[in-house]
Amino acid sequence: MSITVEERERVVVRFAGDSGDGMQLTGDRFTNATALLGNDLATLPDFPAEIRAPAGTVHGVSAFQIQFASTDVTTPGDHADVLVAMNPAALKADLSTVIRGGTLILNEDAFQKRNLDKAGYETDPRADGTLDGYQVYSVPMTSITVRAVEPVGVGKKEAERAKNMFALGLVSWMYDRPTAPTLEWLERKFGGKPEILDANVAAFNAGYNFGETTELFAHRVEVKAAPAEPGTYRNVAGAQALAWGLIAASRASGLPLFYASYPITPASDLLHELSRHKHFGVITVQAEDEIAAANMALGAAFTGQLAVTGTSGPGLDLKEETIGLAVITELPMLIVDVQRAGPSTGMPTKTEQGDLLAAMFGRHGESPIPIVSASSPSDCFEVAIDAARVAIRYRTPVIVLSDSFLQNSSEPWRLPDVSAIEGIDPHFAQPNGAGFHPYARNDDLARPWAIPGTPGLQHRIGGLERENVTGSISYDAENHERMTDLRREKVAGIAASLPKLEVDDATGDAELLVLGWGSTAGSIRAAVRRARDDGEKVAHAHLRWLNPLPSNTGDVLRRYPRVLIPEINEGQLALLIRGRFLVDARSFSRVQGRPLWADELDDAIEEALRG
Amino acid sequence: MSITVEERERVVVRFAGDSGDGMQLTGDRFTNATALLGNDLATLPDFPAEIRAPAGTVHGVSAFQIQFASTDVTTPGDHADVLVAMNPAALKADLSTVIRGGTLILNEDAFQKRNLDKAGYETDPRADGTLDGYQVYSVPMTSITVRAVEPVGVGKKEAERAKNMFALGLVSWMYDRPTAPTLEWLERKFGGKPEILDANVAAFNAGYNFGETTELFAHRVEVKAAPAEPGTYRNVAGAQALAWGLIAASRASGLPLFYASYPITPASDLLHELSRHKHFGVITVQAEDEIAAANMALGAAFTGQLAVTGTSGPGLDLKEETIGLAVITELPMLIVDVQRAGPSTGMPTKTEQGDLLAAMFGRHGESPIPIVSASSPSDCFEVAIDAARVAIRYRTPVIVLSDSFLQNSSEPWRLPDVSAIEGIDPHFAQPNGAGFHPYARNDDLARPWAIPGTPGLQHRIGGLERENVTGSISYDAENHERMTDLRREKVAGIAASLPKLEVDDATGDAELLVLGWGSTAGSIRAAVRRARDDGEKVAHAHLRWLNPLPSNTGDVLRRYPRVLIPEINEGQLALLIRGRFLVDARSFSRVQGRPLWADELDDAIEEALRG
Amino acid sequence: MADTLERSKKDFTSDQEPRWCPGCGDYAILAAVQSFMPELGVAPENTVFISGIGCSGRFTYYMDTYGFHGIHGRAPALATGVATANPDLTVWVVTGDGDALSIGGNHLIHALRRNVNLKILMFYNQIYGLTKGQYSPTSEVGKVTKSTPFGSVDRPFDPVALALGAAATFVARTIDNDRKHLTDVLRQAAEHPGAAFVEIYQNCNVFNDGAFDLLRDKTEGPHNQIRLVHGEPIVFDGGTRCVRLAANGRLEIAAVADTDPAQIITHDVHGPPSLAFTLAHLSQGPTEPTCIGVFREVQRATYGEAVHDQIARARERSGDGDLEALLTGGDTWTV
Amino acid sequence: MADTLERSKKDFTSDQEPRWCPGCGDYAILAAVQSFMPELGVAPENTVFISGIGCSGRFTYYMDTYGFHGIHGRAPALATGVATANPDLTVWVVTGDGDALSIGGNHLIHALRRNVNLKILMFYNQIYGLTKGQYSPTSEVGKVTKSTPFGSVDRPFDPVALALGAAATFVARTIDNDRKHLTDVLRQAAEHPGAAFVEIYQNCNVFNDGAFDLLRDKTEGPHNQIRLVHGEPIVFDGGTRCVRLAANGRLEIAAVADTDPAQIITHDVHGPPSLAFTLAHLSQGPTEPTCIGVFREVQRATYGEAVHDQIARARERSGDGDLEALLTGGDTWTV
Ligand SMILES: Cc1ncc(C[n+]2csc(CCOP(=O)(O)OP(=O)(O)O)c2C)c(N)n1
Ligand SMILES: Cc1ncc(C[n+]2csc(CCOP(=O)(O)OP(=O)(O)O)c2C)c(N)n1
Ligand code: SF4
Ligand code: SF4
Ligand SMILES: [Mg+2]
Ligand SMILES: [Mg+2]
């Protein structure tokens, strides 16, 4: 039987196994090879909530999903075309993610009674009809791996642990991925442990050869490289891009980066990543709690550093009082909120966009703050720089909204020319002989940033209301109103320096505007494209700055007879848009702890168009 | 010269002096006599920010304002008809509060160079034209008091300290207030110290007689008793009424009252008041901070008590994470937020309505919570009971919004029949032999309240997302969405048990609806009345519950061509109303750390009608 | 609220399957606690377990008692509410070293100061487990973790010393894998009326494996555990070493052979907390000989008792509160 | 960052008029600090005062240095940010007993543990002044205040003991009205490299007048102040009383006349913190003879130093960071 090659535009593969099975690593390597091949792609790791749940249980399943294509990829895919399941639990947990008719590659060795029991299968799903309608390939991955690795002479346990490389080899063969990058990577990683290296290489090759030599698979799939702008690319996850963006902002402004944080899923990776780059002069402080972290950052801001504190929802709640202090003291500072599913502890490993209103309004009193959000993993880089630029220019704290999905998923990124990143002048106040007025404002309504160490500019700031210009404590009624207005106007005025809201409206006469923000960009883009392919007139605009809104937002909204706002919350942006512009925007809300699926948006768009 | 008596419908008197001058006490006593005389009234103490600022300085001025009338009184008065100023600083601080042509009663003895300097007067305002257009009475209060007290034989300092009683006596004479209540009160207060008693009585009488015998004052003013519904009345401040309402709710529900709080202006008085009533079984805990206080209350709620925590804005920020925990664990609990001027530390002694959106949205994730607000000092009593009733019935935390103005000001209160207060059945879960499901819901969507000590109902709750019905931890996508919806629907569903929004629309065809919430009720009512007196068609509706809104809110709003929403913030309710109902409600915003004035509302109403 | 019903471990075991990493020290602690509970004679329904966030925080779910899994760091405050509202309940707090000493440090020291009737079990693994391995305020200086790839630079707390500094009335230390010692300490903690702080050395085999080997190890342990017993001279290492008085009132570890028996310190859990504090600073635990057992036990009114006494006295003085009298107290008038 | 310019009190005095109550102990402390500052040789622009909320919090406004009046309880964290970001600054923290020990307790103990280079002045008046008189976690049991009309029921912290429990490297106590002693302690605190915790007995004449009379009073004071001096025997009350060794390593106050001189303890600020801790528990201060002066002083790397050292070492190892190299590190491909 000869093996045919089928060309496909896009494929979604999902690797699923036990926490200990190394699925994230497998996914990473597959992603890497795919990126090097030139496909566009997007990935989504799906961690279990437990650190290491008992092996073989459904709640211990760890998965990694990748969509890659010869055209533009905007999401990791709603559903998988192929699921690699290393054990019954993985099958149980993730079968529902696979399209009907999709391919299942199962590790046959793991389908014994004990594992079926642990996964909660009463009968073998391979035999009881559960898998009817799927293309099932049962491959004894463990035993082949053990046999292949035997010559290397490592112990049985080590040999078995290499089975993920077998799976990787097999899938690499199926999709005709280059093997060199993986082999090189293994070399780098296990160079110091030749036995382990050999075992992994043997397993990988065994997997690849298994595809090549057995007649199990009737065809391979080829996904051609996607057209891409010329440039140097890498694959990047949101957490990395955000960390690097902060470092870039530090370089652009000449201000040392000071990052204070208290660990919390899914924001901890930012702390981890930044703490590795001390040679950039990055100070990272693991604070005793989120309140301390925010205060430390604010203290560092006072000294003239690029101060950042990062957290997730529960930590945002705790930081609010301190953010209010940053608002009234008008100091530049970034607060990164990597949103996760709430309320309360909620589902810490799952994604959500539930913190927008808490970012807007989570502090007592009138406490306006700029808010910016990232729309894709690589976009986090730019967003970090933009946020720093606004914070420094306007002397204001800025909240950066990311989410669990963005932080963990990855995509190819065309590397920016770092020498072209525009400088950010901190414009520290300089002594000029005359009296110093810490609340004298410039045209941006920003006040001077006079840092300790500067002779003659000693001054005192704090949380009590200030007299404008002089900065003295003031209980004066009119001054309070003036300051309240000024704080609002200053933030509103930022819009003047922001890009206008761009609308992707192919024909210019769309009947529906889909307005989004944050990590839903990819899903919305995919859905809007499909709707257009179906002949619908649909436009898409995606907000980066949520406060202030781009100056043309009202105009854009009023240009369309219908507006749909999809969010992974219960309509938070929708409330703001409706309240501000009195536009009857319809909210599409899906709060399931996962990214929006393009196909559920298809329906929502359809309804909005007809509704 | 004979003294004429002028009858007036309403008068606003303001007592102002040094922090040490006893102005609050003077005001209290005047209020008491006024209440006993049967006037309607409202009061407003105005404390300095400092504990005891240096004597004689403007920032050490303490004032007390009262409006009393023979008709309905709704506010302490925008401006004073009469200012009693015990020293130049008091005049300097408060002259602007007096209407043009108003009366100034000055303590002549205090107007020496030193005091003028301290007050920041370069020349004597009595001589330099500053007081042109006012009716000025310069009375040597200190020296007359010292002379009057001489026979008692107390030291000079004690004698001088009694000058506030002189002022009280004089003003009591001017407005024909009964003297007996004051004399009796002095007797009760100083019974144990006969010399001090005699000194105060002598000073009070001297003041009264000074009015009677000197020819300085050409006329007295009489303000007749106001018509009032039959009943027993007392004067009550918001803090008291709220404390007593909580005690009443405790009695009505049979649940012990547990109040945990961390002191903060202006919420501390609630802690002070409740801690005095231990014989009601009230537990008060002064916690180490606001987070602890909220957690302690939540712990007490878990045990089946009526758990309450109180604070002001900065403390609300800190409690938000714990409130989120109360939301997801669906336990009854009250959070009282006595708002003050923000952001941050702001102006701690000044009032504001700046926390509405923080109450609505201050927590990460979708975390809906009922919010209720009080509209007058005495209304706090009912509000506390209503809040407890909703919290217990629906198993939900409830935020009670009060503010600095409400807590400190007072008004006559027709005492409710305590035996008629409807009981609140906590409906604790009882063992029924069958398995217990902590998240099984009743028709209100409320879950069972199973308290420790109940055999067979052991269960575990917490901040992780729960499976509906069973309450097991769940990471299931659909369950999360279902629970998110349920939490929202439960809170929304409370509207069914709440009174509809009532509109005060005299003619039924008003062209403008003025919609308010909280402590602005009195000012709005006064302004709306005046507008009607001027022939305008204006309606007034006042929201008590801000979440959920009364079920007919949309209908009411749509009935009027124009809607005006006055708030002591920058349009927080306005945003909610606009966003929810797409009604072009106009916001009137005045953020000056003080109650709204009816006369500034006059203009706003005028504008809204024409605009 | 003890009674005399017969109960077994099963009565305290919920139907939830524990989900810690295989090999985690938490399993041993859970088993010890579940087995110990029947001995207390307190019904499951009168027992409340309260925990914060962390691997340790899951403990609550495995006990078939009332349970509240609070938010990070706030368990002592949540538990203070429970124990103060209803002093008839037996309230246990389970917390981690990050939960208790990092974000929750303030609530812990205040609960101890107030002497709230809580039995606080702090799982001391010198790491953040649940968030996958950052250092903790109890990690040793130089600790390499995800958040400190070049080693931590800040000195850790000694939780026993901190608790003593916070005026705790009961302070003890024990080890996850020594069931007998652990149970013995639990018993004494349970008997103590007031706040009992129990530090449990707990092995996190995923992120900080072996941190306590010197003390946990079956062969090393006996040499390095200084087992404190009230009223007995402090000797260890098979009777070869002791704690003795040195110059200027200081204490030191010495060989028994070289020591005048009169100089050997007798352990005393009562009196001023100074002795306990000194013992806590004898060495850099857990990497040197380390004291385990009860450091301190003194009796003071518990917070809950004092609060309810005050209410009882107010009622004796003024009778049970009368709402009508409250409202009409002060000046009223009738129309 | 000391220099040799001549400065005077005026250089550290801002144009804001202090607004404490007349007679408040804060005035004396302010005057002492302003007078002492020139001695340090640090320019006002290199000096930062950071405070929390409370009467004490206003201190910041009266110093003509850089100043940050933070929110309640968070001054140590805010100051940690300042001192860690820029170790060249001299950073002072002014806080109250409520600010530092109630809401801010956690930040305080962590700043001490980390040995952040902060000079922390805690105004100990055993009351909440600014909020008009509620009890504080340092008020004695039974304290009648607005929030405890029937007396408080919870035992207070001893701040010195708490600081020692938190591994503080410098702990001292002094008194508002003893300018010489106060200045002397400030000097030692300033010289200490690292976190210095100074408790200052401060009279709040409005809400807690006379709390420290036994020690502040010109005639009572000398009898009751146990003045600690490193290296000297601990005697007081005009040489008539002393601190001596008692049974089982305990210390006690005794008459010198009844004491073998060899038994008198010599004050030692170094070594394990046990001696300092014992001295903190000699009595129920401030209503019995009470130790004042420096309890403890030991040297450890400061947090700021250690953080910047780590950066310097990373730069030595890897050179100054190169953004381009960072982005292109790992697998890239070119289209
Ligand atoms: C407010 C908040 N901040 C941070 C977190 C993230 N978090 C959860 S557990 C934990 C630390 C756990 O360490 P420890 O208390 O030592 O428990 P262990 O897992 O080691 O048992 C952290 C930082 C959170 N859940 N909530
Ligand atoms: C978050 C927050 N909670 C409460 C307060 C109210 N508050 C201000 S100062 C203070 C306590 C002051 O006591 P202390 O620290 O002893 O200072 P003192 O006034 O006695 O100098 C409190 C409770 C606040 N400002 N912010
Ligand atoms: S991470 Fe460590 S502490 Fe947590 S369950 Fe696993 S082994 Fe136990
Ligand atoms: S209240 Fe007390 S501490 Fe505050 S300023 Fe007045 S006297 Fe000083
Ligand atoms: Mg831990
Ligand atoms: Mg104090």
Side-chain angles (χ1 to χ4, degrees), chain A residues 317 343-346, chain B residues 291 293-302 307-309 319-335 363-364 366-370 391 394-399 439 441 447-449 461-464 466 483 487 490-491, chain C residues 68-71 74 78:
Chain A
D317 295 2
S344 196
T345 313
Chain B
I291 300 177
N295 277 279
M296 289 176 185
L298 188 57
F302 185 55
V308 185
T309 184
K319 287 178 203 285
E320 295 284 20
E321 192 200 5
T322 308
I323 298 174
L325 179 62
V327 166
I328 202 166
T329 56
E330 305 191 34
L331 281 170
M333 170 179 168
L334 307 187
I335 303 98
R363 297 155 300 284
H364 71 280
E366 293 291 347
S367 183
I369 195 169
Y394 292 91
R395 316 306 197 202
T396 177
V398 172
I399 293 181
Y439 277 77
R441 298 174 186 278
R447 71 177 195 87
W449 193 7
I461 57 174
L464 287 165
R466 285 328 207 231
M483 290 297 272
R487 285 185 287 261
K490 182 172 87 167
V491 172
Chain C
F68 203 141
H69 183 210
I71 48 180
R74 319 300 172 187
L78 195 60

Side-chain angles (χ1 to χ4, degrees), chain B residues 385-472:
Chain B
I385 301 172
D386 286 359
R389 194 181 302 283
V390 164
I392 292 170
R393 172 165 166 191
Y394 292 91
R395 316 306 197 202
T396 177
V398 172
I399 293 181
V400 178
L401 291 178
S402 177
D403 62 30
S404 183
F405 166 47
L406 273 188
Q407 291 303 280
N408 290 321
S409 69
S410 71
E411 66 176 358
W413 177 34
R414 191 159 70 95
L415 295 178
D417 175 0
V418 299
S419 66
I421 297 172
E422 207 187 317
I424 306 174
D425 187 342
H427 276 299
F428 288 134
Q430 300 300 338
N432 65 357
F436 174 62
H437 288 142
Y439 277 77
R441 298 174 186 278
N442 67 12
D443 292 346
D444 291 332
L445 301 181
R447 71 177 195 87
W449 193 7
I451 66 172
T454 318
L457 301 192
Q458 295 95 289
H459 66 287
R460 274 79 37 203
I461 57 174
L464 287 165
E465 183 60 287
R466 285 328 207 231
E467 187 174 73
N468 199 30
V469 183
T470 66
S472 306

